């Protein structure tokens, strides 16, 4: 018979747990809203930054574009550090808090550059026709704001998505079955796209029509508005402890497999040749990348201490599941590398802003759309296509066919790569027409003068970009989440943004190479600051060709990768039906 005191304590503990249930649906609005506002602020400050750099800080177009490329790659790079520190040391909640504070300080410092005249170059002296360039300290303050925003954006982006998933899949959460991961991902991505649309349509409009003071001041207010509720909801969150192991385990597999490179691989596992986790269905490693299998070969019985398969020296022996986790990461690298060219092409938005700035942007006689807001059309087309595809096209096709119909992930990603190649070709055609009109109107030496040409010429381009984002950008995230084990969800979240890291770097390399090669011998460069003498049409044709080459490379990677999880599930279901 149990002690009555113990029964009473157990009853109190159950009541306490039920009353203080953490996680669940109630926490998701705080997480999603905080990330959505952070996304709005990031895109709202980056879109028109090329104008701030070239006009207020008087940087050449080539220099401003390169700085913009570098800044664009900063946030994804910081996301890797954020994921590492979240998983290994501090946990996701604390990294999101750190990121929110860093971004708040960054946008506040950026706002100060617009408020304090001493932080910007002096206005041009009209009588002397001279303009002072920005000083070292002025640029230091500006670049410091960029750095803080990048750190904050990376920290928030790396942890917000998996932190929301933690609220749904906690073992102590009784609400976890009320919402699926697919629904959560849908809400997360839709809120992100709406935030980007609001940045392009609203914040950019304020910056171009009411000035930088208000345009940079609003992000400060929005960041405060989203961060404080997130902090106040801290008692409601499920905060999983950091595991000092995920990345360490992956590195250990590489080291041990190298140490054991001279070992012969066992023919089979009948005598327990491989070390597997107790109760795991993975007892034998796969035949792909077999060199890594040597990390989990049991060379002597003394390596296993107990029946629970506790390893006596973890520096000499890994488990089968650890080896397979590393293989899953390595396998996706080639397909992930195809996203570099996609993001390099998407990163050409600053150039399009400069081109559109010289075109007729009137929607009505009294309303002119800001040049930086042109990207809102690609976001609008992306959201519209996602809604039509998920809620009309797929259900209607399935109803007509009498069975579920959907495009697999790799097919969707391939469509995205083709669309981005066509989008770059579309920009090349539009720029060729714009440049020809500018020269005919005698504006060859007036790069800032308005050309008699409507900005609506760019709508087909942004339609194609929107379709590319809908199919590919979200497809990459879905691909990684489904292909990676659940233990690597944080790595999957960060890896989906690897294109954002290397894409701008690749874009910078292409831009600099074109500038150096075409500008030799005193010739006008294809990417000269004088856009009417430059040949940006040739530049975008080059990007289009590179995108097509990337598409061919993607097809090769898909064939080498083999079937995805989504491709295998219908085959398994069919085999089970045949057995029954």
């Amino acid at each position: 018979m149990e002690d009555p005191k113990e029964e009473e304590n157990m009853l109190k503990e159950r009541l306490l747990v039920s009353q203080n249930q953490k996680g669940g649906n109630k926490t998701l609005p705080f997480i999603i809203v905080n990330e959505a506002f952070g996304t709005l602020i990031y895109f709202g400050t980056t879109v028109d930054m090329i104008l701030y750099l070239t006009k207020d800080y008087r940087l050449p177009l080539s220099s401003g574009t390169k700085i913009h490329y570098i800044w664009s790659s900063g946030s994804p790079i910081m996301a890797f550090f954020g994921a590492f520190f979240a998983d290994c040391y501090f946990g996701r909640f604390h990294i999101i808090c750190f990121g929110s504070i860093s971004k708040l300080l960054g946008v506040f410092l950026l706002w100060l550059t617009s408020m304090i005249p001493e932080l910007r170059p002096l206005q041009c002296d009209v009588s002397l026709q001279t303009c002072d360039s920005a000083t070292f300290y002025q640029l230091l303050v500006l670049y410091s704001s960029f750095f803080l925003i990048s750190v904050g954006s990376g920290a928030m982006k790396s942890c917000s998505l998996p932190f929301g998933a933690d609220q749904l899949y906690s073992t102590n959460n009784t609400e976890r079955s009320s919402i699926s991961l697919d629904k959560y991902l849908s809400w997360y991505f839709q809120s992100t796209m709406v935030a980007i649309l609001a940045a392009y349509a609203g914040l950019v409009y304020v910056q171009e029509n009411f000035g930088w003071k208000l345009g940079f001041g609003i992000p400060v207010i929005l960041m405060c508005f989203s961060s404080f509720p997130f902090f106040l909801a801290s008692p409601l969150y499920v905060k999983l402890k950091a595991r000092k192991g995920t990345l360490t385990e992956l590195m250990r597999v590489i080291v041990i497999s190298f140490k054991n490179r001279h070992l012969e691989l066992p023919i089979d596992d009948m005598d327990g040749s491989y070390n597997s986790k107790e109760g795991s269905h993975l007892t034998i490693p796969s035949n792909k990348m077999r060199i890594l299998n040597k990390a989990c070969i049991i060379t002597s019985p003394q390596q296993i201490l107990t029946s629970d398969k506790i390893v006596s020296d973890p520096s000499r022996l890994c488990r089968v599941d650890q080896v397979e986790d590393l293989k899953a990461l390595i396998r996706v690298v080639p397909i992930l590398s195809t996203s570099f060219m996609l993001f390099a092409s998407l990163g050409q938005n600053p150039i399009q802003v400069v081109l559109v700035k010289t075109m007729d942007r009137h929607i009505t006689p009294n309303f002119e759309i800001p040049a930086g807001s042109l990207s809102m059309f690609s976001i609008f087309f992306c959201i519209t296509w996602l809604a039509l595809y998920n809620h009309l096209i797929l259900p209607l096709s399935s109803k007509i066919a009498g069975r579920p119909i959907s495009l697999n992930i790799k097919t969707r990603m391939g469509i995205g790569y083709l669309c981005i190649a066509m989008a770059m070709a579309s920009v090349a055609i539009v720029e060729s027409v714009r440049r020809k009109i500018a020269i005919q109107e005698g504006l060859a030496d007036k790069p800032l003068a308005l050309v008699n040409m409507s900005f609506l010429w760019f709508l087909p381009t942004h339609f194609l970009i929107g379709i590319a984002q809908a199919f590919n950008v979200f497809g990459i995230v879905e691909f990684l989440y489904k292909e990676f084990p659940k233990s690597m969800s944080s790595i999957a979240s960060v890896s989906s943004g690897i294109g954002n890291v290397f894409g701008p770097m690749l874009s910078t390399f292409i831009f600099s190479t074109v500038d150096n090669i075409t500008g030799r011998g005193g010739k006008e460069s294809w990417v000269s600051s004088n856009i009417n003498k430059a040949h940006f049409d040739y530049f975008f044709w080059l990007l289009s060709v590179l995108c097509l080459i990337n598409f061919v490379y993607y097809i090769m990677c898909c064939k080498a990768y083999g079937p995805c999880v989504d491709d295998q599930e219908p085959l398994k279901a069919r085999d089970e039906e045949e057995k029954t």
Side-chain angles (χ1 to χ4, degrees), residues 140-437:
L140 179 64
V141 174
L142 180 67
Y143 296 160
S144 297
S145 70
F146 290 173
F147 176 76
L148 289 170
I149 292 173
S150 293
V151 170
S153 298
M156 292 175 66
K157 183 64 69 177
S158 65
C159 296
S160 294
L161 184 61
F163 185 60
D166 291 344
Q167 313 308 310
L168 302 177
Y169 291 99
S170 170
T171 54
N172 293 325
N173 180 18
T174 57
E175 293 183 88
R176 62 184 179 276
S177 61
S178 64
I179 178 174
S180 66
L181 179 63
D182 289 339
K183 284 186 179 179
Y184 166 63
L185 290 175
S186 177
W187 292 351
Y188 183 89
F189 290 136
Q190 286 178 17
S191 65
T192 299
M193 298 307 291
V194 170
I196 297 173
L197 184 62
Y200 289 157
L203 202 52
V204 171
Y205 179 82
V206 172
Q207 291 168 359
E208 293 200 15
N209 290 274
F210 298 96
W212 301 112
K213 294 180 181 179
L214 183 60
F216 290 153
I218 291 176
V220 179
I221 298 172
L222 293 179
M223 199 66 226
C224 293
F225 180 77
S226 65
S227 298
F228 290 147
F230 178 82
F231 296 152
L232 292 175
S234 175
L236 301 176
Y237 301 132
V238 171
K239 302 170 188 174
L240 301 181
K241 292 182 179 179
R243 289 193 310 119
K244 297 183 180 180
T246 305
L247 296 176
T248 307
E249 288 173 357
L250 297 178
M251 293 302 299
R252 195 152 50 85
V253 172
I254 297 174
V255 173
I256 296 175
S257 62
F258 179 77
K259 288 181 179 178
N260 297 345
R261 64 189 181 279
H262 299 301
L263 292 178
E264 293 291 332
L265 288 168
I267 298 174
D268 52 44
D269 191 44
M270 293 183 65
D271 57 346
S273 303
Y274 297 104
N275 176 37
S276 59
K277 188 177 181 180
E278 184 67 22
S280 174
H281 67 281
L282 283 173
T283 57
I284 305 174
S286 63
N287 289 325
K288 294 183 178 180
M289 292 176 275
R290 298 187 63 187
I291 184 66
L292 297 176
N293 295 353
K294 296 182 179 183
C296 58
I297 295 176
I298 301 174
T299 56
S300 65
Q302 287 74 24
Q303 287 183 302
I304 307 296
L305 290 179
T306 67
S307 58
D308 294 334
K309 295 191 174 183
I310 297 177
V311 179
S312 58
D313 187 0
S315 66
R316 293 181 178 274
L317 183 64
C318 293
R319 297 193 309 267
V320 173
D321 61 297
Q322 294 169 342
V323 171
E324 292 304 310
D325 284 353
L326 179 60
K327 287 182 180 180
L329 181 61
I330 295 174
R331 282 185 69 207
V332 302
V333 168
I335 290 182
L336 273 181
S337 67
T338 62
S339 68
F340 300 169
M341 195 61 224
L342 171 77
F343 283 97
S345 301
L346 292 175
Q348 304 308 319
N349 187 60
I351 297 176
Q352 292 186 48
V353 170
V354 174
L355 298 178
V356 173
K357 190 76 176 175
T358 65
M359 301 171 74
D360 180 11
R361 291 172 281 116
H362 283 90
I363 295 179
T364 66
N366 299 319
F367 180 74
E368 185 181 46
I369 188 171
S373 294
L374 185 67
S375 295
M376 73 177 182
F377 290 104
S378 62
I379 304 301
F380 172 77
F381 288 132
C382 179
I383 295 173
T384 304
W385 176 255
L386 284 173
L388 289 174
Y389 179 76
N390 291 319
H391 301 292
L392 181 63
I393 296 174
L394 286 185
L396 190 60
S397 301
S398 301
K399 188 175 181 180
I400 293 173
R403 58 184 176 83
I405 290 181
S406 63
L407 294 174
N408 62 46
I409 299 175
K410 289 192 290 187
T411 302
R412 279 182 274 152
M413 291 169 64
I415 293 173
Y417 286 131
L418 280 177
C419 286
I420 201 66
M422 291 189 290
M424 294 300 101
S426 174
V427 177
I429 294 170
V430 173
E431 169 54 15
S432 177
V433 175
R434 189 208 66 80
R435 182 178 181 275
K436 183 178 180 181
I437 294 174

Side-chain angles (χ1 to χ4, degrees), residues 551-565:
F551 174 70
V552 175
Y553 169 59
Y554 170 74
I555 293 175
M556 296 169 60
C557 291
C558 287
K559 288 183 177 180
Y561 186 85
C564 297
V565 173

Side-chain angles (χ1 to χ4, degrees), residues 54-59 120-134:
T54 54
K55 288 188 175 182
D56 290 68
Y57 280 81
R58 290 192 280 278
L59 294 175
R120 300 188 311 279
L122 297 173
Q123 291 185 353
C124 297
D125 192 328
V126 180
S127 59
L128 299 176
Q129 295 184 347
T130 58
C131 295
D132 293 331
S133 57

Side-chain angles (χ1 to χ4, degrees), residues 17 46 126 314 349 400 422 424 454 483-484 513:
V17 170
T46 56
V126 180
N349 187 60
I400 293 173
M422 291 189 290
M424 294 300 101
S454 174
E483 295 300 306
F484 277 14
T513 303

Side-chain angles (χ1 to χ4, degrees), residues 32 61 71 101 113 223 238 279 309 324 334 440 480 517 578:
I32 292 175
L61 177 60
W71 185 25
I101 294 171
T113 63
M223 199 66 226
V238 171
K309 295 191 174 183
E324 292 304 310
Q440 288 175 348
L480 292 174
I517 293 176
E578 289 177 355

